[in-house]
Amino acid sequence: MGLLLAMSEKGSMKYLKLLFFVCFVTLVYATNARAQTPIVIKFSHVVAADTPKGKGAIRFKELAEKATKGRVRVDIYPNSELYRDKEELEALQLGAVQMLAPSLAKFGPLGVKEFEVFDLPYIFPSKYVLNKVTQGPIGKDLLKKLEPKGITGLAFWDNGFKVMSANKRLHHPADFKGLKMRIQSSKVLDAQMRALGAIPQPLGFSEVYQALQTGFADGTENPPSNFKTQKMDEVQSNLTISNHGYLGYAVIVNKKFWDGLPADIRTELAAAMQDATTYANEIAERENERDLAAIKKNGKTTIYQLTAREQLEWRQALLPVQQEMAGRIGKDLIAAINKQGTLDEK
Ligand code: LMR
């Protein structure tokens, strides 16, 4: 009996040791596997890769993967490949995608109407004032307004001032009368086009080329980089360098995802985003100048520079939009930005 007991005890000891060994190996393997499986950031956007935003996203990918030593992988989906305008914000809030950089004109439908301040005609007298706003307390406060929507705002990226295009010359505000003008989904841009006597047509960015090609829209507005990379010069005979309004982006991330990251990784990603932002904002002006020159060289679109007198006419037609939209955006916010401009004039 004692022998039997001894044998069974010895057997169970062996079994316990084997069980311990299997558990240990499984744990080590699982830990290693977890260590090797990178955290994936899906970064979706709607413009071509060869644009300031497209290049900024690529730079962030390079910096983020290097800084985290491969613990993070950034998969970029440009040109509305993964999500188009109308879908991307909801996809981010649902966590189906982790990072976006929508145009500031696209946050109104999310309920953050203050972002449409960037759409106001002539709200920024210079890039310098614009940078003071986006890189200073006003910009920080605006990004904070995204948090209740489950979104963390990381940065502002620039794409410069917009030009206007159509299949007719656009020298005077009266030239817009009755034109169907594509806009982003912003009430300010709606008011802007109506102030010119045009008919605003909100459309997703991926639909613009076809709308212009089929005549569903007569014209549109965008910085030269988008105009060129979306081949709009193939379907628009006239472009006016109006610089009447601004187009920029907020780089945003799903808040739950961001807050759930290991603290060291979040710090490394924030630093990578800061450097990518510096890069994206540095190249924006140069890229738009390059693309405007390319449009000119292509010769399919007549490029017109407004005279000083014509610029005054456009201002007189469009400046009332600031007053008209103050109720929606906030008088104080508009005043704060206008004050920034006068401060810098002194
Ligand atoms: C547009 O829809 O015209 C722009 O927002 C596209 C972009 O993101 O630059």
Side-chain angles (χ1 to χ4, degrees), residues 46-47 53 85 103 106 182 184 205 222 226 247 249:
V46 299
V47 295
K53 171 159 64 173
D85 269 340
S103 159
K106 296 178 180 169
R182 182 269 170 176
Q184 302 169 85
F205 189 57
N222 238 297
N226 281 340
L247 194 134
Y249 308 109

Side-chain angles (χ1 to χ4, degrees), residues 45-48 51 53 85 88 101-106 159 162 182-185 189 203-206 208 220-223 225-226 230 232 247-249:
H45 66 76
V46 299
V47 295
T51 57
K53 171 159 64 173
D85 269 340
E88 63 175 13
S103 159
L104 298 166
K106 296 178 180 169
N159 195 6
K162 296 178 284 191
R182 182 269 170 176
I183 58 167
Q184 302 169 85
S185 52
L189 296 178
L203 279 175
F205 189 57
S206 56
V208 177
T220 188
E221 59 168 5
N222 238 297
S225 57
N226 281 340
Q230 297 298 320
M232 294 185 204
L247 194 134
Y249 308 109

Side-chain angles (χ1 to χ4, degrees), residues 183-255:
I183 58 167
Q184 302 169 85
S185 52
S186 153
K187 294 293 180 210
V188 169
L189 296 178
D190 182 282
Q192 169 191 281
M193 291 303 181
R194 291 182 194 284
L196 291 169
I199 302 156
Q201 233 167 19
L203 279 175
F205 189 57
S206 56
E207 300 158 65
V208 177
Y209 179 86
Q210 192 180 18
L212 296 172
Q213 189 185 39
T214 58
F216 183 72
D218 298 312
T220 188
E221 59 168 5
N222 238 297
S225 57
N226 281 340
F227 193 89
K228 179 75 185 70
T229 53
Q230 297 298 320
K231 300 186 172 54
M232 294 185 204
D233 56 336
E234 290 178 3
V235 289
Q236 294 279 267
S237 59
N238 296 72
L239 178 155
T240 293
I241 303 173
S242 49
N243 295 330
H244 61 283
Y246 173 71
L247 194 134
Y249 308 109
V251 188
I252 58 178
V253 66
N254 172 288
K255 185 173 187 310

